[in-house]
Short mmCIF file of all heavy atoms in Angstrom, two decimals:
data_model
loop_
_atom_site.label_atom_id
_atom_site.label_comp_id
_atom_site.label_asym_id
_atom_site.label_seq_id
_atom_site.Cartn_x
_atom_site.Cartn_y
_atom_site.Cartn_z
N ALA A 153 4.10 31.28 0.87
CA ALA A 153 4.42 30.77 2.20
C ALA A 153 3.15 30.60 3.04
O ALA A 153 3.01 29.61 3.77
CB ALA A 153 5.39 31.72 2.90
N GLU A 154 2.21 31.55 2.92
CA GLU A 154 0.94 31.42 3.63
C GLU A 154 0.16 30.21 3.14
O GLU A 154 -0.41 29.47 3.93
CB GLU A 154 0.10 32.70 3.45
CG GLU A 154 0.63 33.89 4.20
CD GLU A 154 -0.09 35.19 3.82
OE1 GLU A 154 -0.87 35.20 2.83
OE2 GLU A 154 0.15 36.20 4.52
N ARG A 155 0.13 29.99 1.83
CA ARG A 155 -0.59 28.84 1.27
C ARG A 155 0.06 27.53 1.73
O ARG A 155 -0.63 26.57 2.06
CB ARG A 155 -0.62 28.92 -0.27
CG ARG A 155 -1.16 27.69 -0.94
CD ARG A 155 -2.62 27.39 -0.55
NE ARG A 155 -2.97 26.05 -0.98
CZ ARG A 155 -3.74 25.23 -0.28
NH1 ARG A 155 -4.29 25.60 0.84
NH2 ARG A 155 -3.99 24.02 -0.73
N GLN A 156 1.39 27.50 1.74
CA GLN A 156 2.09 26.28 2.16
C GLN A 156 1.79 25.97 3.63
O GLN A 156 1.53 24.82 3.99
CB GLN A 156 3.60 26.45 1.93
CG GLN A 156 4.39 25.19 2.08
CD GLN A 156 4.20 24.22 0.94
OE1 GLN A 156 3.25 24.28 0.17
NE2 GLN A 156 5.12 23.31 0.81
N ALA A 157 1.79 26.99 4.47
CA ALA A 157 1.49 26.79 5.89
C ALA A 157 0.04 26.33 6.07
O ALA A 157 -0.24 25.42 6.87
CB ALA A 157 1.74 28.08 6.67
N ASP A 158 -0.88 26.93 5.34
CA ASP A 158 -2.29 26.55 5.43
C ASP A 158 -2.50 25.11 4.93
O ASP A 158 -3.26 24.35 5.52
CB ASP A 158 -3.14 27.53 4.63
CG ASP A 158 -4.59 27.54 5.09
OD1 ASP A 158 -4.82 27.54 6.32
OD2 ASP A 158 -5.47 27.53 4.22
N ALA A 159 -1.79 24.75 3.86
CA ALA A 159 -1.90 23.38 3.33
C ALA A 159 -1.41 22.37 4.36
O ALA A 159 -2.02 21.31 4.54
CB ALA A 159 -1.12 23.24 2.02
N GLN A 160 -0.34 22.69 5.07
CA GLN A 160 0.18 21.78 6.10
C GLN A 160 -0.84 21.63 7.24
O GLN A 160 -1.06 20.52 7.74
CB GLN A 160 1.51 22.30 6.66
CG GLN A 160 2.69 22.04 5.77
CD GLN A 160 3.04 20.57 5.69
OE1 GLN A 160 2.65 19.74 6.51
NE2 GLN A 160 3.80 20.22 4.66
N LEU A 161 -1.46 22.74 7.64
CA LEU A 161 -2.47 22.68 8.70
C LEU A 161 -3.67 21.85 8.27
O LEU A 161 -4.18 21.03 9.04
CB LEU A 161 -2.91 24.09 9.10
CG LEU A 161 -1.88 24.93 9.86
CD1 LEU A 161 -2.38 26.36 10.00
CD2 LEU A 161 -1.57 24.31 11.21
N GLU A 162 -4.12 22.05 7.04
CA GLU A 162 -5.26 21.29 6.54
C GLU A 162 -4.92 19.81 6.45
O GLU A 162 -5.73 18.94 6.81
CB GLU A 162 -5.69 21.82 5.17
CG GLU A 162 -6.92 21.12 4.63
CD GLU A 162 -7.43 21.69 3.33
OE1 GLU A 162 -6.80 22.58 2.75
OE2 GLU A 162 -8.51 21.23 2.89
N LEU A 163 -3.72 19.50 5.99
CA LEU A 163 -3.28 18.11 5.88
C LEU A 163 -3.29 17.44 7.25
O LEU A 163 -3.82 16.33 7.40
CB LEU A 163 -1.88 18.06 5.25
CG LEU A 163 -1.25 16.69 5.07
CD1 LEU A 163 -2.09 15.80 4.18
CD2 LEU A 163 0.16 16.85 4.49
N GLN A 164 -2.73 18.09 8.25
CA GLN A 164 -2.70 17.51 9.59
C GLN A 164 -4.10 17.33 10.16
O GLN A 164 -4.41 16.31 10.78
CB GLN A 164 -1.84 18.38 10.53
CG GLN A 164 -0.38 18.42 10.15
CD GLN A 164 0.23 17.05 9.93
OE1 GLN A 164 0.04 16.12 10.72
NE2 GLN A 164 0.96 16.89 8.83
N HIS A 165 -4.97 18.31 9.93
CA HIS A 165 -6.35 18.21 10.40
C HIS A 165 -7.06 17.01 9.77
O HIS A 165 -7.68 16.21 10.48
CB HIS A 165 -7.10 19.50 10.07
CG HIS A 165 -8.57 19.41 10.30
ND1 HIS A 165 -9.14 19.54 11.55
CD2 HIS A 165 -9.60 19.14 9.44
CE1 HIS A 165 -10.44 19.37 11.44
NE2 HIS A 165 -10.76 19.14 10.18
N LEU A 166 -6.97 16.90 8.46
CA LEU A 166 -7.68 15.81 7.77
C LEU A 166 -7.12 14.44 8.13
O LEU A 166 -7.88 13.47 8.23
CB LEU A 166 -7.64 16.03 6.25
CG LEU A 166 -8.48 17.20 5.75
CD1 LEU A 166 -8.27 17.40 4.25
CD2 LEU A 166 -9.95 16.99 6.07
N LYS A 167 -5.82 14.34 8.34
CA LYS A 167 -5.23 13.06 8.76
C LYS A 167 -5.87 12.59 10.07
O LYS A 167 -6.18 11.41 10.22
CB LYS A 167 -3.71 13.20 8.92
CG LYS A 167 -2.96 13.22 7.61
CD LYS A 167 -1.50 13.55 7.77
CE LYS A 167 -0.77 12.74 8.78
NZ LYS A 167 0.66 13.07 8.90
#
Side-chain angles (χ1 to χ4, degrees):
E154 288 171 350
R155 172 61 193 142
Q156 192 73 341
D158 202 44
Q160 282 291 342
L161 289 172
E162 183 176 6
L163 179 60
Q164 294 310 314
H165 170 81
L166 290 175
K167 284 172 51 179

